[in-house]
Amino acid sequence: MKKISILIPAYNEEDVLETLYHRLGKLANDIKSYEFEFLFADDGSTDDTLKMIKEYAETDDRIGYISLSRNFGKETAMIAGFDHVTGDAMVIIDADLQDPPELIPRMIKLWEEGYDDVYARRNIREGETWFKMFTANGYYWLLNKMTKTQLIKIPQNTGDFRLLDRRCIEALKQLRESERYTKGMYSWIGYKKKEITYNRSPRLAGEIKQNYRKLTNLAFDGITSFSTTPLRISTFLGIIVSVIAFIYLIYIIIKSAMFGDAVAGYPSMMAVVLFLGGVQLLSLGVIGEYIGRIFKESKDRPLYFIEESHVAKNTKKTR
Ligand code: UDP
Ligand code: MG
């Protein structure tokens, strides 16, 4: 019997865990033709999340968990999960039930038809502000413009809710960068992809864990880890500004040679100096972003540490 692993990254999700467990449990009971594994990646929760998972694991032999030594963020919690799932395929699902587990049978069916990566695309985002929607739209437009040269396309309105075949899992496990943008990695590894759509509902309970600061950082990581276009833009900006400055220089020389130098033009001089200063700082900042990445990656640290873990009892072989 083939085994499906459900990977659930969870950070302080005590409010939703009970419902999630029942929805998933019911689903797995309904699908008799597959074996299931529920792997919780507890991302250093400080509430009762881990305690609850442990309780479930005592009576349910499909449940396994890994508990990270601190809060590492969802991206890291996911790679920790990839390292530990044992199924022939894996479904990643948020703990807050924003992604309907009821979509999983459809995903499995498409997987059986030969797709390696069945990803869910949100139709509408209920309960999300127009600001978030606006920034998200703008961001994806920019991201895809910038990653065009890499020949990959990162689809908008998709998240981590997807089914991945074992070979995708093995591929993702090899991408060990520390500043992770998993959403881009799914595209980067390739393999046969299939899109399905669904309506995303608001978070069931508890607070949103990925605040704007985390999302903004993730947005920057998305661009800097999948594109060097900002560096290219800096170069072009530098060239354009230099050319304009050079033309202006010739103009000034000719002008003062023909008409003499009246030592005027303070405003225009300040404008040029300030503008150039701005362009230089911006370019330095862009370069800095990439150097920062090189610095972080060159440390080559392990991505996470595990405080404690438990392998689902129904697991016969570990990979
Ligand atoms: N999450 C995590 N570590 C974190 C933040 C979030 O493992 O540091 C998990 C969280 O428990 C949830 C999922 O990532 O299962 C998505 O988080 P959330 O719903 O807060 O963000 P959204 O993606 O819906 O904006
Ligand atoms: Mg959520």
Side-chain angles (χ1 to χ4, degrees), residues 262-299:
V263 198
Y266 177 75
S268 59
M269 190 182 78
M270 278 313 279
V272 169
V273 167
L274 290 177
F275 177 67
L276 281 183
V279 169
Q280 282 173 4
L281 284 181
L282 185 95
S283 308
L284 268 181
V286 170
I287 296 168
E289 284 289 325
Y290 285 91
I291 294 182
R293 275 194 81 83
I294 298 170
F295 170 64
K296 282 178 196 151
E297 299 302 339
S298 67
K299 284 190 281 192

Side-chain angles (χ1 to χ4, degrees), residues 99-140:
D99 318 312
E102 289 67 32
L103 232 59
I104 295 175
R106 243 170 92 199
M107 289 177 166
I108 296 176
K109 200 166 155 279
L110 287 162
W111 172 55
E112 289 292 2
E113 283 171 18
Y115 292 104
D116 298 302
D117 177 358
V118 186
Y119 61 89
R121 185 186 170 105
R122 301 182 280 270
N123 278 329
I124 39 164
R125 294 175 143 197
E126 279 173 56
E128 284 189 345
T129 58
W130 68 267
F131 180 72
K132 190 164 179 180
M133 257 149 67
F134 176 76
T135 45
N137 281 341
Y139 175 68
Y140 277 96

Side-chain angles (χ1 to χ4, degrees), residues 153-250:
K153 190 163 171 11
I154 301 168
Q156 185 171 1
N157 288 338
T158 63
D160 299 306
F161 184 34
R162 60 182 67 222
L163 180 146
L164 296 160
D165 182 72
R166 179 43 66 179
R167 50 183 190 163
C168 293
I169 305 172
E170 293 304 323
L172 289 168
K173 275 161 74 174
Q174 290 176 43
L175 309 186
R176 310 291 306 180
E177 62 232 57
S178 58
E179 304 291 299
R180 304 183 67 76
Y181 188 67
T182 319
K183 224 181 277 185
M185 293 176 183
Y186 304 127
S187 301
W188 191 85
I189 58 169
Y191 294 118
K192 274 183 82 182
K193 301 195 184 301
K194 178 77 184 168
E195 180 177 289
I196 55 177
T197 54
Y198 74 110
N199 295 334
R200 187 168 163 102
S201 40
R203 165 177 267 281
L204 186 73
E207 267 168 33
I208 195 157
K209 309 297 182 306
Q210 307 255 65
N211 55 28
Y212 272 112
R213 186 176 51 80
K214 278 190 189 175
L215 286 179
T216 312
N217 283 335
L218 188 65
F220 272 102
D221 285 338
I223 290 179
T224 50
S225 62
F226 281 93
S227 160
T228 49
T229 308
L231 289 173
R232 190 58 56 77
I233 293 175
S234 300
T235 312
F236 277 125
L237 210 61
I239 293 173
I240 293 168
V241 171
S242 307
V243 168
I244 295 172
F246 185 72
I247 294 170
Y248 187 57
L249 182 108
I250 291 182

Side-chain angles (χ1 to χ4, degrees), residues 8-13 41 43 71-74 77 93-96 98 128 132 200 203 207-210 214-215:
I8 310 131
Y11 174 52
N12 292 348
E13 299 285 9
D43 189 13
N71 179 230
F72 280 89
K74 187 187 177 188
I93 190 165
D94 281 2
D96 59 6
Q98 277 189 289
E128 284 189 345
K132 190 164 179 180
R200 187 168 163 102
R203 165 177 267 281
E207 267 168 33
I208 195 157
K209 309 297 182 306
Q210 307 255 65
K214 278 190 189 175
L215 286 179

Side-chain angles (χ1 to χ4, degrees), residues 17 40 42 49-57 63-65:
L17 227 51
F40 287 90
D42 167 44
T49 301
L50 184 61
K51 199 172 140 242
M52 291 170 74
I53 297 171
K54 279 181 179 166
E55 275 169 26
Y56 301 146
I63 291 191
Y65 60 83

